[in-house]
Amino acid sequence: MPTTPATAAHSSSNGTADAIMLELVDENGTTIGTAEKLAAHQSPGQLHRAFSVFLFDEHGRLLLQRRALGKYHSPGVWSNTCCGHPYPGEAPFAAAARRTYEELGVSPTLLAAAGTVRYNHPDPMSGLVEQEFNHLFVGMVQEHLRPDEEEVGETAFVTSGELAERHAAAPFSAWFMTVLDAARPAIRELTGPSAGW
């Protein structure tokens, strides 16, 4: 993946991990400061910028991921293709493409903005809070997946009907339905009416 000023600032030359900082925003999505990632998610939560990606195959099936069990927030639950947080100063589109590649080993095609949604979702398991101004993206995936096992426990391509069955039977992230519903108009435009989204 290409290096941008924002990503270069978060790369460590000696192999140690720097604290991950998030961009705090107001209700309009205007940047107002930064906070350390875990601190921003501790109750009651600080409103911060995030993104969610929904990728589909050529059959109109949505790529889901089950979050790795080692993740401190919402481990082991199913969620959308990729989600995360831009670094301070990083464009949400660039962050979405970067994290999709880091987590799944693929670069999306036809990735397009699909609006924003603001929500406040506590996670009952961890006690953490998702207080987010979320930038939504939809696109296609045409490459073979190469998931990072530290990030992704499992992947699945599902139709709209299969998603409903899976959602009824397995735990999903607290934010999943909120971001999916907000992205549906763009998803329908991308996949067409026959896909059923």
Side-chain angles (χ1 to χ4, degrees), residues 26-151:
D26 64 16
E27 293 292 337
N28 298 313
T30 302
T31 302
I32 58 172
T34 60
E36 190 276 326
K37 182 178 178 181
L38 182 57
H41 287 88
Q42 290 174 335
S43 184
Q46 295 173 278
L47 184 59
H48 57 274
R49 196 177 307 285
F51 64 83
S52 289
V53 177
F54 297 85
L55 296 183
F56 295 82
D57 67 9
E58 66 274 17
H59 306 294
R61 298 181 304 169
L62 172 61
L63 173 58
L64 298 176
Q65 71 155 276
R66 187 172 60 80
R67 295 165 61 86
L69 291 173
K71 293 179 80 72
Y72 73 84
H73 192 342
S74 302
V77 301
W78 287 93
S79 199
N80 49 293
T81 307
C82 180
C83 53
H85 310 92
Y87 293 131
E90 183 182 23
F93 184 92
R98 171 181 58 81
R99 280 305 289 167
T100 300
Y101 185 82
E102 290 172 355
E103 292 188 7
L104 296 162
V106 295
S107 295
T109 57
L110 305 174
L111 191 65
T116 60
V117 63
R118 191 261 195 253
Y119 53 79
N120 179 357
H121 285 303
D123 174 29
M125 296 294 290
S126 66
L128 300 175
V129 177
E130 287 290 3
Q131 184 91 248
E132 295 187 330
F133 189 94
N134 197 306
H135 297 256
L136 309 171
F137 298 94
V138 300
M140 304 288 291
V141 61
Q142 298 173 314
E143 301 176 54
H144 178 69
L145 302 177
R146 298 181 305 278
D148 178 348
E149 294 179 359
E150 292 186 6
E151 298 286 344

